[in-house]
């Protein structure tokens, strides 16, 4: 593999406020290793997403030693990680335990940028009391990421109960009629709760980036 196989966008954060990440699905072990080696030369901290445990295990040991790998979310931090600078602004709410891989992908993406998100899991509407017990806590956050599969009712319920920005992530969790997340996606898009932002199926990374855009805008407004 040559350096011509990839061109990493190290200036993306300066240009648009978001770091480029390494989407590992579809990349070979050699390609991932080469990107990490390139980042190491400039002491860049990289976020790797969709990094399967089997692929991580095949990376050179010297690169793995420089990674903070989280198997459930299939994410890794390579190299230096920013210190936490933002707390109490984003909550990630997962309907079921099966939705937590996507929820953790969102939380880990935020953490890589220095934003510490709160994760609240297993509060789906099948046991509505679990959600209502945490509702006042959720209302304290200006940005709410709702992660849900099956009928994705969590998004509509939360959307009608909280005033913060709502970013919704449908997941591929569910039986046959859930259609690998398409039912959840349609339900979130068709929600009667107003002003929901809806991301692609299983795209916790995209939801985190949407939250970061909002946070960056809030920071810019505060400075002016």
């Amino acid at each position: 593999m040559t350096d011509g196989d990839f061109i990493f966008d190290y200036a993306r954060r300066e240009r648009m406020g978001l770091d480029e990440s390494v989407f590992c699905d579809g990349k070979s072990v050699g390609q991932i290793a080469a990107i990490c080696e390139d980042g190491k030369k400039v002491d860049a901290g990289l976020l790797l997403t969709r990094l399967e445990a089997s692929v991580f295990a095949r990376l050179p040991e010297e690169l793995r030693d420089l990674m903070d790998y989280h198997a459930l979310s299939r994410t890794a931090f390579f190299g230096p990680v920013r210190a936490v600078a933002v707390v109490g602004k984003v909550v990630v709410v997962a309907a079921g335990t099966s939705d937590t891989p996507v929820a953790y992908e969102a939380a880990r993406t935020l953490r890589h940028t220095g934003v510490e998100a709160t994760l609240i899991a297993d509060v789906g509407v099948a046991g509505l009391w679990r959600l209502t017990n945490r509702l006042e806590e959720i209302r304290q956050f200006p940005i709410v990421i709702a992660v849900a599969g099956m009928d994705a009712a969590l998004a509509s319920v939360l959307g009608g109960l909280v005033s913060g920005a709502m970013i919704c992530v449908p997941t591929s969790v569910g039986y046959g009629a859930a259609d690998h997340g398409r039912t959840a996606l349609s339900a979130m898009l068709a929600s009667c709760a107003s002003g929901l932002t809806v991301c692609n199926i299983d795209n916790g990374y995209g939801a985190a980036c949407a939250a970061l855009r909002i946070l960056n805008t809030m920071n810019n407004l505060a400075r002016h």
Side-chain angles (χ1 to χ4, degrees), residues 120-174:
I120 296 176
D122 202 20
V123 289
V125 300
L128 194 57
W129 61 271
R130 297 178 298 188
L131 179 62
T132 56
N133 281 351
R134 306 295 297 272
L135 190 56
E136 290 308 313
E137 179 184 358
I138 295 169
R139 283 175 170 155
Q140 303 307 308
F141 294 86
I143 303 173
V144 179
I145 297 176
V147 182
M150 297 196 179
D151 60 3
L154 176 70
S156 289
V157 172
L158 270 181
L161 293 173
V162 304
S163 62
M166 283 284 302
I167 303 168
C168 305
V169 189
T171 74
S172 52
V173 170

Side-chain angles (χ1 to χ4, degrees), residues 33-63:
I35 292 170
C36 290
E37 290 286 2
D38 189 71
K40 185 179 177 182
K41 292 176 185 176
V42 295
D43 197 31
L46 306 180
L47 170 68
L48 288 74
T49 66
R50 301 302 163 96
L51 178 60
E52 298 290 347
S54 58
V55 176
F56 171 73
R58 290 161 54 204
L59 289 169
E61 184 178 359
E62 61 270 21
L63 295 180

Side-chain angles (χ1 to χ4, degrees), residues 60-81:
E61 184 178 359
E62 61 270 21
L63 295 180
R64 284 188 278 121
D65 288 343
L66 297 174
M67 289 186 185
D68 171 357
Y69 182 64
H70 188 265
L72 184 60
S73 65
R74 295 179 292 167
T75 61
F77 302 159
F78 177 81
V81 179

Side-chain angles (χ1 to χ4, degrees):
M1 180 174 180
T2 66
D3 290 345
D5 289 325
F6 66 89
I7 303 174
F8 206 83
D9 188 2
Y10 293 113
R12 183 175 296 185
R13 183 175 181 84
E14 181 179 349
R15 188 176 68 251
M16 55 184 282
L18 300 172
D19 294 325
E20 184 175 8
S21 66
V22 182
F23 182 74
C24 296
D25 191 19
K27 290 183 175 66
S28 69
V29 171
Q31 288 172 327
I32 296 168
I35 292 170
C36 290
E37 290 286 2
D38 189 71
K40 185 179 177 182
K41 292 176 185 176
V42 295
D43 197 31
L46 306 180
L47 170 68
L48 288 74
T49 66
R50 301 302 163 96
L51 178 60
E52 298 290 347
S54 58
V55 176
F56 171 73
R58 290 161 54 204
L59 289 169
E61 184 178 359
E62 61 270 21
L63 295 180
R64 284 188 278 121
D65 288 343
L66 297 174
M67 289 186 185
D68 171 357
Y69 182 64
H70 188 265
L72 184 60
S73 65
R74 295 179 292 167
T75 61
F77 302 159
F78 177 81
V81 179
R82 293 184 183 89
V84 173
V86 178
V87 179
K89 299 296 185 182
V90 185
V91 61
V92 183
V93 184
T97 305
S98 296
D99 298 307
T100 54
V102 176
Y104 273 111
E105 182 182 71
R108 291 266 295 176
T109 299
L110 289 164
R111 175 60 192 88
H112 191 259
T113 66
V115 177
E116 189 73 70
T118 296
L119 178 63
I120 296 176
D122 202 20
V123 289
V125 300
L128 194 57
W129 61 271
R130 297 178 298 188
L131 179 62
T132 56
N133 281 351
R134 306 295 297 272
L135 190 56
E136 290 308 313
E137 179 184 358
I138 295 169
R139 283 175 170 155
Q140 303 307 308
F141 294 86
I143 303 173
V144 179
I145 297 176
V147 182
M150 297 196 179
D151 60 3
L154 176 70
S156 289
V157 172
L158 270 181
L161 293 173
V162 304
S163 62
M166 283 284 302
I167 303 168
C168 305
V169 189
T171 74
S172 52
V173 170
Y175 297 105
D179 197 16
H180 306 289
R182 290 177 178 82
T183 296
L185 174 62
S186 294
M188 288 176 171
L189 289 171
S191 174
C192 62
S194 303
L196 305 186
T197 295
V198 182
C199 295
N200 205 346
I201 298 166
D202 290 337
N203 193 3
Y205 168 80
C209 289
L212 288 168
R213 285 182 179 272
I214 295 171
L215 288 171
N216 289 341
T217 300
M218 291 166 60
N219 291 335
N220 290 337
L221 290 173
R223 285 197 294 266
H224 291 87

